[in-house]
Amino acid sequence: MATTTMNPVVDTLVLILVSLVSGVLSMLITLAIVMPFAGALVRFRANYTPKTGDVRLTRDEGEDEHAASDGGARDVDSVVDATFGYFGMLARVWKLERWAGLYKGSVPTLISTLIAFVVILPVALLFGRPRSPYPTEIPSPSSSTPFSHFLAEAAPPPHILLPQIWLHYLAGIIAALLLIPLQILINRAITTPYILPLRRGSTRTALRTLLSPAERAKPLRLYLTPGVALGVLCESLIAPVLVLLRAATRALPGGFHLAGAVPSVLLGVLLGTPLAVAVVRLTLQRRSEGEGAGGEGEAQGLQRYTPLGGESVLEVRGDAAVTGLTGENGGEAYTGLVDCLRKVVREEGWGVLARAWWLALGGKS
């Protein structure tokens, strides 16, 4: 009986094709599941909720007239609501924007994920997953969390694995920095009150809505958005720094090395969550021709999810007219990462910097 032999080259190509198809399908399924929750997280952290008596939100006369023509203006006291949490924001998105709102920002998120995959894939293929007798400690660039290393049963020999682990993280840091413009587009697409069309030629309309004229004229200026690059870099460095702390504590006797992980986890939450909040706020701040913020995008002819003057999912600081602030820099744009953190605390309180802190314990914050 004759037997057929397959060409090894054909076998390899088929295997690569199957892997790519399965990878894309897995990516699409993951995006479909995660996107509504990620979008709610961005909105929750972006929602501007000034403290009573410190900030007053007002609309200009033209907006008041437009709001009245759409069925009545909002009361100033109802513009901001700081009482609902993460799941309350998720419910608001469903209530006011339905399915379209839950999946806002999906297109730039998919593009960003594909680019990150291309950047990280060569490192994974060249160096693979480090082998050791402690497999539970080895992080995966796509699924590990900053705290998964501290909860493992045993730590690998640092002199063997740390260089490879840091190389994986370095690829992730480079990808995060390269994708800053897309991260800005993602956050603005998620928080925009306008319905961005998905049709031929709609890319230009979306960019005119999400970017200021100065940003469209010089797209590379997005890398210079005040504080964003520094915030992204600091976020990306948290995980590898905690790995070093884990390696430093594994020499402790008995169970002390595991007990020593607890303050490290808390440190990661205390650092990571405020940085995540600040990065979201900074990415929503549009740049004008000068150094400050300004230059709103153009959204002529686009429909809104809710009528102007009606209930909105969130308030964005850069889109509101902020007046009556107490303090020397009240109402001014964020000039950097530290300035953003300082103004958030002064205008809204410390609690804003801890929004959804519990997500950092089980996944990426």
Side-chain angles (χ1 to χ4, degrees):
M1 184 176 180
T3 59
T4 59
T5 59
M6 297 293 292
N7 190 324
V9 176
V10 175
D11 289 344
T12 303
L13 292 177
V14 171
L15 180 61
I16 293 175
L17 181 60
V18 172
S19 300
L20 288 176
V21 172
S22 61
V24 171
L25 289 177
S26 176
M27 189 181 303
L28 292 175
I29 294 174
T30 302
L31 181 65
I33 297 173
V34 172
M35 195 64 213
F37 301 98
L41 179 62
V42 170
R43 292 180 180 93
F44 180 46
R45 288 174 169 168
N47 190 33
Y48 184 60
T49 55
K51 294 182 288 187
T52 304
D54 290 346
V55 180
R56 186 177 75 257
L57 296 181
T58 62
R59 293 186 298 271
D60 56 32
E61 295 179 359
E63 187 176 340
D64 285 335
E65 293 175 359
H66 195 167
S69 66
D70 281 340
R74 278 181 294 171
D75 185 87
V76 173
D77 294 335
S78 66
V79 171
V80 177
D81 183 2
T83 60
F84 55 83
Y86 169 76
F87 292 103
M89 178 62 73
L90 186 62
R92 285 177 66 86
V93 175
W94 172 252
K95 173 186 174 183
L96 299 175
E97 299 181 355
R98 297 296 178 178
W99 288 109
L102 290 176
Y103 286 95
K104 284 163 65 175
S106 297
V107 173
T109 299
L110 180 60
I111 296 174
S112 177
T113 304
L114 290 173
I115 295 177
F117 178 76
V118 170
V119 173
I120 296 176
L121 182 61
V123 176
L125 291 178
L126 289 175
F127 298 95
R129 191 180 174 96
R131 296 182 180 181
S132 81
Y134 310 100
T136 58
E137 181 65 15
I138 309 306
S140 168
S142 60
S143 61
S144 65
T145 73
F147 315 114
S148 59
H149 311 284
F150 301 103
L151 304 179
E153 295 179 359
H159 65 281
I160 295 177
L161 292 178
L162 282 180
Q164 296 186 43
I165 293 174
W166 268 80
L167 188 60
H168 281 72
Y169 279 118
L170 179 61
I173 292 172
I174 293 174
L177 292 174
L178 288 176
L179 295 173
I180 284 177
L182 273 173
Q183 188 60 53
I184 292 174
L185 289 176
I186 291 170
N187 290 349
R188 293 183 185 178
I190 289 173
T191 57
T192 182
Y194 297 100
I195 301 176
L196 301 179
L198 288 175
R199 61 173 183 269
R200 185 177 181 181
S202 62
T203 302
R204 179 175 297 181
T205 302
L207 292 178
R208 290 178 66 87
T209 303
L210 302 177
L211 301 177
S212 68
E215 291 170 336
R216 295 198 303 273
K218 298 179 179 179
L220 291 180
R221 289 175 62 124
L222 293 174
Y223 285 105
L224 301 179
T225 302
V228 173
L230 178 59
V232 170
L233 178 61
C234 291
E235 276 192 290
S236 302
L237 287 174
I238 290 177
V241 168
L242 293 182
V243 171
L244 287 180
L245 291 177
R246 171 61 172 166
T249 59
R250 67 178 298 269
L252 294 175
F256 287 100
H257 69 279
L258 183 59
V262 175
S264 299
V265 171
L266 296 178
L267 180 62
V269 173
L270 290 174
L271 293 177
T273 306
L275 284 172
V277 173
V279 168
V280 169
R281 298 297 185 91
L282 291 166
T283 55
L284 300 182
Q285 187 168 262
R286 294 172 173 84
R287 290 175 62 89
S288 62
E289 291 297 340
E291 291 300 321
E296 294 298 326
E298 303 170 11
Q300 293 90 342
L302 290 182
Q303 290 184 322
R304 296 172 62 99
Y305 285 93
T306 57
L308 186 63
E311 185 180 8
S312 61
V313 173
L314 76 159
E315 284 291 338
V316 177
R317 184 182 188 270
D319 294 339
V322 184
T323 60
L325 275 170
T326 58
E328 56 179 318
N329 295 320
E332 295 180 358
Y334 302 134
T335 59
L337 178 62
V338 176
D339 182 66
C340 175
L341 294 170
R342 180 176 60 83
K343 287 179 178 175
V344 167
V345 172
R346 181 171 60 83
E347 297 174 10
E348 305 174 68
W350 288 95
V352 174
L353 296 181
R355 285 181 176 175
W357 62 268
W358 44 271
L359 288 176
L361 296 176
K364 184 178 180 180
S365 62

